[in-house]
Amino acid sequence: MSRISIEQVKHVANLARLAITEEEAETFTKQLDKIITFAEQLNELDTENVKPTYHVLDMKNVLREDIPKPGLPQEVVLKNAPEHKNGQFKVPSILAE
Amino acid sequence: MSLFDHKVSDLHELLHKKELKVSDLVDESYKRITEVESKVQAFLTLDEERARQTAKALDEKISTDAAKGLLFGMPIGVKDNIVTKDLRTTCASKILENFDPIYDAAVVQKLNQAETVTIGKLNMDEFAMGSSNENSGFKKTHNPWNLDRVPGGSSGGSAASVAAGEVLFSLGSDTGGSIRQPAAFCGVVGLKPTYGRVSRFGLVAFASSLDQIGPITRTVEDNAYLLQAISGLDPMDSTSANVDVPNFPGSLTGDVKGLKIAVPKEYLGEGVSESVRQSVLDALKVLEGLGAVWEEVSLPHSKYALAAYYLLSSSEASANLARFDGVRYGYRTPNADNLLDLYKNTRAEGFGDEVKRRIMLGTFALSSGYYDAYYKKAQKVRTLIKQDFENVFEKYDVIVGPTTPTPAFKIGENIDDPMTMYANDILTIPVNLAGVPGISVPCGFDSGLPLGLQIIGKHFDEATIYRVAHAFEQATDYHNQKPQL
C-alpha cells in the first residue's frame, strides 16, 4: 500500500516553497514512500508513557541581561543581498495588481 | 617526510626554538596542495594570499616574543559550513555560491585568538546532508587511500585533507556521524564532542538539536589540543553548556587499567562486515592487554535510531533551511515576477536533490495531521535511545564498537538509493540522538582501506574517551600509516 500520494507530495512541496516538476513529484513520491514505510517500524515500540526528548541536555530557559548594543551597520547587512534599494532588501511585488 | 608527520606539540617546540617558521608550515600546506589537490579535490576555496600574510605577521611576532600558545602558527582547514568573515562560505550549495559571511563563527574567533592559520574551506555534502561528499554542489572529493572510493561525509574534505597531508588538522561538523565516518574512511582521528561542548554560533544549521563542530587530526593528542581551543560556553549560543572545560591533553596518561568497556552486541551484528568485526575484536584484545576489561552489553533500541534520526534531522532541516529564500543573501532566481515564485524557483534552482528530499520529508513529518505520528513519535524513541546509553553508562566507562559497518565504498556505488546510503550511519547516529561524545581512531585496514574504532563516552566525558583512544593509538601502528598519493 502506498503511504503517500502524488497530491500530498505536491502539497508538501508548496508548504516547503519548492517548485517541483511533474517528474520530480513522481520521484519524490516513490522515495518518500520508501523512507516513510521504513520509519513506520517505530510503531513497533510502545511509547505511550514515554516523554519526548526535544533537547538532550537538561536545560531550562537560558537568560542573560538585556544590555543594549549597536547592531550591524546597514551596508554590512546588505552586502550579500541579491538586490537592494534605499537601504532595504528589494523583492518583486507581493500583491497582484 | 612532511612537516605534518610531526605532532602539534613537536612543531610548537621547533617554532619556539626558532628552528621552524610559521611560513614554512604554510608553505608546506600549499606545496602539498599543489602536488595532490587535483587528485583529492578536498578544498572548495583556498585563502593563500591572506594565509601567507598572516604567516609573515606571526613570524614577525614570534621574533619579538617567544611565549605563544600551542596552536600558534598551525595551518588548519575549515569545513565550508562554518562561517568565516570575508572568506567564501558555500555549504557546498549553489544557493550560497557567492556568499561572503559578515562575521566569524565562534570557533573561528577562538582559532584566531589561538593564532592558527586558515588555509582554506573544505568540501562537504551540501548542507552536511550525506555520507560520501557526492552530494556536494561543486565537486566530488576522493579518498586519499584509494581515489576510486569516497572519503565519507559529510566532512569528507575535512578528513581527506588531513589524510593527504594538505593541512595539519581541520574542523568538521557531525550531525549523524559526519566527523567520525569520514575520519574512519580516511584513517584519521575525528571527535564529535558532547552536544553543547562547542558553540554552534556561525555553524550553518542543519539539525540544531544534533549538530556539533569537532576536530579532525592525525593523532589523538593533536585532537585533544584542538578541542581544548574551541570548547566552552558562548553567550551567542544558548545551547552551549555552562560546564567546566577540563585539560584534555592532560588526560592522555596512557593508563587504562581497570577501565570498564561495554561492547554493544547490536554494533557487531547484521550488516557489519567481517573485516570490521575482526578489527574491533583485535582492538579489544589490545585494550585488554593494557589492563582494561570488556563485556558484551545491549543497546536494545539501536535498530530504531536510523528511522528516528531521519525524521528528526529532516524536520529540523526543513525549518532551518527556510531562511534560504533569495531575499537577504545567496542565489536568487532570475525567473520570477512575484514573491511566491521567487521563493519557489530560487529554492528549486539553488538546492540539490538530497537537500530537497530532506526538506520534503521534514515538511511532511511536521505537517498538520502527521506531526504526532512521525515527529513526536521519533522524539519519544529518542528518549528510549538516550536511556539505553544511560543504563550502560551506569556500569561502564566507555562503549566501544566500529565507526562504520564497512570500509569506504566506491564513488557512485550507493548514490542512487537513499536508504542504502543512510544505512552507512547506523553506528554513529545513536550517539548524536543521545548527545554523548564519540571518537573514531584508526584500528586496521581492509584491502588497503582504513577502518575506524569508535569510542563513546558519557556526557561531557571526552577526557576518558581521549585517554582510551590515546592508549590504543600508542599501542598500535595504524596512525603512522600514510596513503601513497
Side-chain angles (χ1 to χ4, degrees):
Chain A
M1 190 194 80
S2 185
R3 281 168 173 77
I4 186 163
S5 68
I6 194 160
E7 286 73 31
Q8 271 177 302
V9 164
K10 288 177 182 171
H11 171 65
V12 168
N14 180 51
L15 291 176
R17 298 292 184 257
L18 273 176
I20 56 170
T21 62
E22 197 63 31
E23 197 186 329
E24 281 175 313
E26 281 171 27
T27 310
F28 279 136
T29 306
K30 278 186 217 136
Q31 290 177 336
L32 290 183
D33 190 65
K34 208 170 160 188
I35 297 169
I36 286 163
T37 304
F38 175 74
E40 301 265 319
Q41 63 166 294
L42 297 184
N43 294 329
E44 293 167 15
L45 294 169
D46 178 4
T47 53
E48 207 186 314
N49 298 314
V50 178
K51 281 192 183 157
T53 295
Y54 296 107
H55 198 272
V56 284
L57 302 179
D58 197 18
M59 283 182 182
K60 293 282 177 309
N61 295 328
V62 178
L63 303 173
R64 61 166 168 76
E65 271 198 70
D66 189 15
I67 304 161
K69 277 189 291 190
L72 292 163
Q74 197 177 57
E75 67 272 16
V76 173
V77 173
L78 293 171
K79 186 183 151 191
N80 282 287
E83 232 185 313
H84 61 92
K85 192 179 174 185
N86 301 333
Q88 297 175 65
F89 297 109
K90 194 179 172 207
V91 294
S93 63
I94 295 170
L95 299 170
E97 290 180 19
Chain B
M1 171 143 173
S2 157
L3 278 174
F4 301 158
D5 290 337
H6 296 285
K7 294 185 299 181
V8 167
S9 51
D10 295 340
L11 292 171
H12 174 73
E13 191 63 31
L14 292 172
L15 283 174
H16 195 79
K17 289 195 289 196
K18 301 195 170 50
E19 288 171 19
L20 183 72
K21 291 197 297 188
V22 175
S23 308
D24 300 331
L25 288 166
V26 171
D27 284 347
E28 176 83 23
S29 217
Y30 289 111
K31 192 179 111 228
R32 185 69 175 159
I33 288 168
T34 307
E35 284 167 9
V36 301
E37 180 61 9
S38 61
K39 297 178 193 165
V40 180
Q41 305 270 322
F43 283 91
L44 288 172
T45 307
L46 292 171
D47 200 21
E48 185 163 355
E49 204 183 314
R50 195 163 11 191
R52 290 192 187 278
Q53 279 169 9
T54 307
K56 212 175 146 201
L58 293 179
D59 279 330
E60 280 164 22
K61 211 167 166 178
I62 205 167
S63 63
T64 56
D65 173 15
K68 298 294 171 205
L70 205 99
L71 298 187
F72 179 90
M74 302 295 161
I76 190 164
V78 178
K79 188 176 180 181
D80 209 31
N81 59 351
I82 297 171
V83 301
T84 41
K85 192 177 180 199
D86 300 324
L87 175 59
R88 183 70 33 101
T89 299
T90 69
C91 295
S93 180
K94 290 247 160 34
I95 212 160
L96 284 175
E97 196 164 14
N98 299 312
F99 180 62
D100 294 325
I102 58 176
Y103 63 91
D104 278 322
V107 291
V108 174
Q109 292 172 26
K110 283 183 181 260
L111 290 179
N112 290 342
Q113 280 160 20
E115 298 180 289
T116 60
V117 184
T118 301
I119 296 299
K121 301 300 290 289
L122 293 158
N123 195 25
M124 53 187 281
D125 289 292
E126 184 178 3
F127 287 106
M129 297 175 187
S131 312
S132 69
N133 268 37
E134 290 166 288
N135 294 335
S136 166
F138 302 113
K139 55 164 74 162
K140 289 181 173 62
T141 298
H142 297 254
N143 191 314
W145 292 88
N146 180 334
L147 296 170
D148 296 331
R149 305 266 165 168
V150 302
S154 65
S155 310
S158 301
S161 61
V162 174
E166 295 179 306
V167 285
L168 183 59
F169 46 31
S170 67
L171 290 182
S173 71
D174 190 315
T175 304
S178 282
I179 287 173
R180 290 159 288 155
Q181 185 253 21
F185 280 8
C186 293
V188 292
V189 181
L191 176 104
K192 183 205 87 79
T194 309
Y195 184 84
R197 173 66 86 190
V198 177
S199 170
R200 294 184 296 110
F201 177 69
L203 171 67
V204 178
F206 160 16
S208 308
S209 80
L210 302 161
D211 299 341
Q212 267 291 287
I213 296 170
I216 296 180
T217 57
R218 289 201 178 178
T219 65
V220 175
E221 187 186 294
D222 288 359
N223 208 283
Y225 279 117
L226 189 48
L227 182 66
Q228 193 78 39
I230 61 170
S231 293
L233 178 69
D234 176 12
M236 298 300 279
D237 174 7
S238 63
T239 64
S240 72
N242 191 6
V243 294
D244 288 340
V245 179
N247 177 359
F248 295 122
S251 67
L252 309 177
T253 60
D255 181 11
V256 293
K257 276 195 195 68
L259 183 102
K260 288 190 196 143
I261 300 172
V263 180
K265 62 178 184 197
E266 292 82 4
Y267 284 32
L268 292 174
E270 202 188 330
V272 175
S273 81
E274 186 49 36
S275 63
V276 168
R277 214 176 71 88
Q278 195 53 51
S279 73
V280 171
L281 294 175
D282 291 346
L284 288 167
K285 274 197 200 112
V286 171
L287 289 167
E288 242 177 358
L290 296 169
V293 291
W294 69 273
E295 284 175 334
E296 192 176 275
V297 299
S298 176
L299 295 170
H301 297 96
S302 297
K303 69 176 266 211
Y304 301 103
L306 192 60
Y309 171 82
Y310 275 93
L311 290 172
L312 296 176
S313 64
S314 301
S315 297
E316 293 184 23
S318 73
N320 277 325
L321 271 58
R323 65 179 55 119
F324 300 102
D325 57 7
V327 174
R328 290 151 300 158
Y329 41 72
Y331 172 79
R332 172 184 284 196
T333 179
N335 311 310
D337 48 17
N338 63 65
L339 190 60
L340 191 60
D341 283 349
L342 177 93
Y343 294 152
K344 287 186 171 179
N345 293 336
T346 291
R347 291 161 65 78
E349 293 159 25
F351 289 137
D353 287 346
E354 182 62 26
V355 173
K356 287 183 194 173
R357 188 152 46 236
R358 300 215 198 176
I359 290 174
M360 292 288 290
L361 175 63
T363 307
F364 173 75
L366 291 174
S367 66
S368 172
Y370 297 96
Y371 176 89
D372 281 351
Y374 295 107
Y375 183 73
K376 199 166 177 192
K377 179 80 186 181
Q379 293 288 33
K380 289 179 165 196
V381 173
R382 184 177 190 179
T383 303
L384 297 174
I385 288 162
K386 191 169 164 243
Q387 284 169 354
D388 281 355
F389 281 97
E390 285 163 0
N391 292 339
V392 168
F393 282 133
E394 273 177 26
K395 287 194 210 142
Y396 299 89
D397 300 305
V398 291
I399 294 171
V400 166
T403 307
T404 60
T406 64
F409 46 89
K410 286 196 179 113
I411 293 172
E413 192 175 323
N414 291 338
I415 195 69
D416 294 329
D417 184 358
M419 289 310 300
T420 314
M421 187 67 96
Y422 296 172
N424 225 280
D425 298 331
I426 47 170
L427 304 171
T428 47
I429 278 171
V431 171
N432 299 75
L433 289 172
V436 292
I439 199 169
S440 180
V441 283
C443 74
F445 290 90
D446 175 0
S447 318
L449 297 168
L451 304 173
L453 183 73
Q454 186 174 209
I455 305 166
I456 302 163
K458 299 171 188 174
H459 278 128
F460 298 108
D461 194 16
E462 290 88 352
T464 301
I465 297 183
Y466 276 140
R467 181 157 60 91
V468 180
H470 178 254
F472 175 75
E473 176 191 74
Q474 295 306 303
T476 54
D477 191 43
Y478 306 117
H479 65 290
N480 290 323
Q481 313 289 319
K482 299 283 180 310
Q484 298 301 315
L485 273 164

